[in-house]
Amino acid sequence: MVSGGVRLGASLLGGGVDAGPGGRPRLWTLSAARAGLLCARTSGEITETRAVLEAVRALDFVDPERIGLVGMSMGGVVAGIVAAEEPGIAALCLWSPAAVAPFEMGRGYLKGRSLAAEIEEKGYFDADGHRVSAALVEDLAGLDVYGRSGAYSGPVHILHGSKDEIAPLEYVGRYLDHYDGNAELEVVDGADHAWGSVPHRTALHRSTLRFLRRHLQS
């Protein structure tokens, strides 16, 4: 799994499905966490995700032909790009992908506030407790989210909440225009960007597991 955190992301996770007790599939994760985003760049997260995949493929209990990526928020953006550019990804699931971020940052604003003014004042932009550096803003503003993701030809399952105020649904829907009929979008009524209730988080996990079982189990 690739997790960009609830908003801009602070960790990278690699994972997949293996046979648990009684042959039932289970999700597992391999963490490559990093504290803070002061010097982070999306290009660096893409490189780190590839390194995680390399480590996952080397595990003796992993079938390298049945590896899936799951990404949340900016981690969803990263997962989409890596799946398209890294061979051998059998399934891709995006949770609330924050495809809006490059467009907002390209206009010089995030959460309705001026990026340049706040970075000049503080040395960083405060995105709900996450430090966003000028380097990250520059990196994201030039990111071709859809162009770099659309080449992936495997199955794609996108899950998004109808009450997501961080990543507007219209930007998520554009993914479907760039994939070649291999993507599906499931909108969960009432869910926010963080999937911040037990029923919504349960629906997210169950839908993801159904998708991974369908495409990763032999």
Side-chain angles (χ1 to χ4, degrees):
M1 301 174 73
V2 177
S3 174
V6 171
R7 298 171 181 84
L8 289 174
S11 67
L12 294 171
L13 300 174
V17 175
D18 72 342
R24 296 176 182 174
R26 62 186 177 190
L27 283 174
W28 52 269
T29 61
L30 179 69
S31 178
R34 179 183 57 236
L37 283 171
L38 186 58
C39 299
R41 299 177 71 100
T42 304
S43 55
E45 296 201 356
I46 291 170
T47 299
E48 289 176 358
T49 303
R50 288 180 170 139
V52 169
L53 283 170
E54 184 178 354
V56 168
R57 290 188 177 109
L59 297 172
D60 57 8
F61 59 88
V62 171
D63 181 348
E65 302 298 320
R66 293 191 292 161
I67 292 177
L69 278 181
V70 181
M72 180 174 178
S73 193
M74 273 307 299
V77 172
V78 170
I81 291 171
V82 172
E85 298 179 354
E86 181 77 13
I89 303 301
L92 173 65
C93 187
L94 309 181
W95 297 352
S96 309
V100 66
F103 297 92
E104 284 191 333
M105 290 186 176
R107 292 190 290 266
Y109 288 85
L110 187 62
K111 297 180 174 293
R113 309 195 317 265
S114 169
L115 288 160
E118 191 163 329
I119 289 173
E120 183 178 359
E121 177 188 354
K122 300 178 180 177
Y124 61 88
F125 183 91
D126 189 339
D128 297 319
H130 296 288
R131 292 173 180 253
V132 178
S133 69
L136 178 59
V137 172
E138 180 182 0
D139 203 38
L140 273 174
L143 187 66
D144 182 6
V145 175
Y146 306 116
R148 291 184 65 180
S149 301
Y152 179 68
S153 60
V156 183
H157 186 52
I158 306 172
L159 285 145
H160 208 75
S162 68
K163 299 295 185 182
D164 190 328
E165 296 182 351
I166 303 296
L169 185 58
E170 63 177 292
Y171 287 89
V172 177
R174 292 181 191 177
Y175 274 107
L176 302 182
D177 297 329
H178 288 77
Y179 287 119
D180 189 20
N182 55 310
E184 58 188 12
L185 171 62
E186 179 181 348
V187 178
V188 177
D189 188 47
D192 60 16
H193 189 69
W195 301 85
S197 73
V198 171
H200 291 144
R201 187 67 61 90
T202 299
L204 174 71
H205 291 171
R206 286 179 174 171
S207 181
T208 301
L209 279 170
R210 284 195 299 269
F211 171 74
L212 294 177
R213 283 182 178 131
R214 186 163 70 248
H215 294 288
L216 298 184
Q217 277 190 303
S218 57

